[in-house]
Amino acid sequence: MNDDIAERLRIAQEDRVPILPFATELGIDDIDTAYAIQNHGIASRTANGRKVIGRKIGLTSIAAQTQLGFDQPIHGPLFADGEILNGGAIEAESLIAPILEGEIALVLDRDIDDPNVSIEEFSNAIKYVLPAIEIADSRIKNWEISLFDLIADDSAAARYLLGTDPQQLSNIDLSACQMELNQNGKTLSSGLGENCMGSPLNAGHWLGGYLIEQGGALRAGDILLTGALGPIVPAYTGDQIECTITGFGPLSVEFV
């Protein structure tokens, strides 16, 4: 069953034709099964040449967790070919129903493979931090997702932009940084770093421990998108998007 669902999600992504929610229909009611489906899909795509270069973290706010009836974040893969260059363009029709999130990205300088890693040790493993825009997408029709649909569907991972001005962690107060996401000149989303589990650092630290529990690990060079700092913004053809986060240069992308 896991490989069948993973294949349905892959085809939906490639054909840009969403599928109906499946978790309730198939009786999927535990996160281990949902992550097993996600992992089947990742293995299939990496076997065909795609490369995972990090992870995205989702449900990092209490509001988002409450909406799906969950009490912790979730994660999904970042593929190398999912990156859009800062200042570039993306075809809106290459996605199904994209939404935007302003985030902080962490880039690791060393492996995280100790399940008891402290927040201080995790912080010392960060090479630098970057501003980011995550362009999430759902292969489930109309975003009518349960928690288990969402996890199986790569936790809605799709595309992302990274800033070009890396900063040392010591130079940025990640909890206090202010994010604004502008669509066609209007600010539609804003928030603080503390909206992401108190700090984006906490989100990254959670992921390190959770992946080890699942039999994985974070590796040197991994890019971590740590979760939204403000409300999501739907994106459409013709949109001009700009994101600013305190301490970094701006990010921009056009949907064509």
Side-chain angles (χ1 to χ4, degrees), residues 36-92:
I37 295 168
Q38 182 189 122
N39 289 334
H40 270 279
I42 293 171
S44 173
R45 283 167 285 173
T46 55
N48 285 302
R50 299 187 69 187
K51 181 181 179 181
V52 175
I53 60 167
R55 311 295 297 183
K56 64 149 286 181
I57 308 171
L59 301 189
T60 53
S61 72
I62 296 298
Q65 292 175 15
T66 300
Q67 182 179 5
L68 287 177
F70 203 41
D71 61 357
Q72 68 180 26
I74 60 175
H75 65 85
L78 284 187
F79 286 97
D81 59 5
E83 182 176 4
I84 307 298
L85 294 181
N86 188 15
I90 179 172
E91 292 186 6

Side-chain angles (χ1 to χ4, degrees), residues 178-216:
Q178 172 78 37
M179 182 279 299
E180 288 192 355
L181 188 62
N182 298 326
Q183 184 182 53
N184 304 321
K186 295 182 179 180
T187 300
L188 296 188
S189 177
S190 62
L192 297 171
E194 64 185 13
N195 295 340
C196 178
M197 296 180 67
S199 168
L201 277 178
N202 294 333
H205 180 246
W206 167 84
L207 179 61
Y210 192 73
L211 280 180
I212 293 168
E213 289 179 6
Q214 290 188 312

Side-chain angles (χ1 to χ4, degrees), residues 140-163:
I140 308 300
K141 191 174 182 179
N142 298 324
W143 282 92
E144 294 177 349
I145 48 176
S146 71
L147 173 69
F148 310 109
D149 293 307
L150 178 59
I151 292 174
D153 186 24
D154 288 349
S155 296
R159 307 282 196 275
Y160 56 93
L161 283 80
L162 299 173

